[in-house]
């Protein structure tokens, strides 16, 4: 009799598959004929399990989603590293400011002891670049200025530009470029500089919002797109070089961390999108030097980033 068990199992599976297929065929044939019915949670219907408080996210996000699930009796809020320290830093309460300074002092002393024991964690000496020629320091100063004028929490670009710059119609794009011409020219000038160094920069202090890189790149690429559409290929090409230069300034210094590396990767995607969807299609087919555009955008084979160096940059910025 036990030899029949595998056959019975296979028969049941085939029967279930046939039955589910029949239901699918009926649903497809009657699609749109009936009003949608809200699916209720049922332990017998796996398709409804995701309705139980979003449990489907658990498989993708892990234990953090389980712990923040509103129906979890042991629920706790998601805590981000450094959240309390940032709250103290941004507080106007003198007691909070005093506590912030105390914790920073303790942290600095602890870091110094660790550096004595593990000197390889120290940031390497960066190259010497005169301050007036140091594109990295100028970029950080500009980003800090942007943070100050936009409340410190809203990086570039403007809301009407966010995520759709390469899709905007020409009139809307021209209005945005005209309104932000001074910012574009500043970013372009810094991007075309060749020297960058983190000497004289303390990553432990409140650093400017690095996400400004993506917003600044969006403005520059929009300017390049309009220049190409107007036939000014030289300006468009140089603006692409400037955009790529901003990335080099941000990640080409000793203090660069993993966040900066990820942002530069996202910016490279921005450049590719603009080139393929907006800039190159607007140029005359017989006048495109693809090798020149590829070199300007840095789209060739690239050396993998120094991940250990980025981790060291993160540790020193804590």
């Amino acid at each position: 009799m036990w030899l029949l068990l595998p056959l019975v199992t296979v028969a049941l599976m085939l029967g279930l598959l046939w039955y589910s297929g029949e239901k699918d065929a009926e649903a497809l044939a009657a699609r749109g004929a009936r009003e949608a019915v809200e699916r209720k949670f049922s332990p017998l219907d796996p398709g409804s399990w995701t309705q139980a408080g979003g449990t489907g996210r658990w498989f993708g996000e892990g234990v953090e989603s389980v712990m923040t699930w509103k129906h979890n009796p042991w629920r706790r809020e998601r805590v981000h590293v450094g959240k309390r320290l940032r709250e103290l830093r941004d507080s106007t309460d003198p007691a909070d400011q005093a506590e912030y300074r105390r914790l920073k002092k303790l942290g600095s002393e602890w870091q110094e002891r660790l550096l004595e024991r593990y000197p390889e964690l120290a940031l390497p000496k960066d190259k010497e670049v005169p301050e007036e020629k140091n594109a990295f320091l100028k970029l950080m100063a500009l980003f800090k200025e942007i943070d100050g004028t936009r409340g410190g929490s809203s990086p570039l670009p403007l809301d009407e530009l966010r995520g759709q710059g390469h899709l905007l119609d020409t009139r809307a794009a021209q209005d945005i470029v005209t309104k932000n011409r001074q910012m574009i020219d500043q970013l372009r000038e810094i991007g075309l500089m060749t020297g960058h160094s983190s000497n004289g920069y303390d990553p432990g202090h409140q650093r400017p919002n690095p996400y400004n890189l993506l917003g600044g790149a969006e403005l520059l690429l929009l300017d390049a797109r309009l220049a190409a559409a107007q036939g000014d290929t030289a300006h468009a090409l140089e603006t692409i070089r400037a955009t790529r230069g901003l990335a080099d300034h941000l990640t080409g210094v000793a203090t660069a961390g993993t966040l900066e590396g990820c942002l530069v990767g996202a910016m490279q995607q921005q450049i590719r999108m603009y080139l393929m969807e907006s800039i190159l299609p607007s140029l005359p087919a017989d006048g495109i030097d693809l090798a020149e555009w590829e070199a300007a955008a840095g789209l060739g084979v690239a050396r993998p980033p120094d991940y250990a160096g980025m981790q060291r940059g993160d540790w020193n910025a804590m």
Side-chain angles (χ1 to χ4, degrees), residues 8 13 26 31 35 37 63-64 81 98-99 132 135-136 175 179 194 212 241 243 248 251-252 270 283 289 295:
V8 172
M13 291 177 63
E26 293 175 6
R31 177 179 292 174
E35 291 186 9
V37 179
V63 70
E64 281 294 326
V81 175
E99 177 66 3
E132 66 276 9
F136 174 75
D175 289 344
K179 185 167 62 175
T194 57
N212 285 317
R241 291 194 185 99
T243 308
D248 293 339
T251 57
Q270 283 179 298
L283 300 176
D289 185 346

Side-chain angles (χ1 to χ4, degrees), residues 125-131 133-134 195-200:
K125 182 70 174 176
D126 218 336
K127 49 188 171 293
E128 294 293 337
V129 178
E131 186 174 347
K133 296 182 179 180
N134 193 332
H196 47 248
S197 172
S198 59
N199 288 344

Side-chain angles (χ1 to χ4, degrees), residues 184 187-188 216-225 239 242-243 246:
I184 292 171
L187 289 166
R188 194 167 182 271
E218 193 88 18
L219 286 174
L220 284 172
L221 291 168
L222 196 63
D223 185 44
R225 170 198 150 185
T239 302
T243 308
L246 295 180

Side-chain angles (χ1 to χ4, degrees), residues 14-51:
L14 291 174
L16 288 171
L17 288 172
W18 174 82
Y19 177 68
S20 62
E22 286 291 308
K23 290 181 67 177
D24 289 343
E26 293 175 6
L28 287 172
R31 177 179 292 174
R34 295 189 298 269
E35 291 186 9
V37 179
E38 182 182 357
R39 174 177 281 179
K40 303 293 185 180
F41 172 74
S42 169
L44 302 178
D45 181 8
S48 71
W49 293 355
T50 57
Q51 306 300 316

Side-chain angles (χ1 to χ4, degrees), residues 1 4 18 50 60 76-78 94 101 126 137-138 145 170 235 246 261 282 285 294:
M1 290 294 294
L4 296 176
W18 174 82
T50 57
R76 63 171 174 78
E77 294 296 330
R78 190 184 296 263
R101 289 191 295 271
D126 218 336
L137 294 182
K138 289 182 179 294
E145 180 184 333
T170 303
H235 180 89
L246 295 180
S282 67
E294 183 181 55

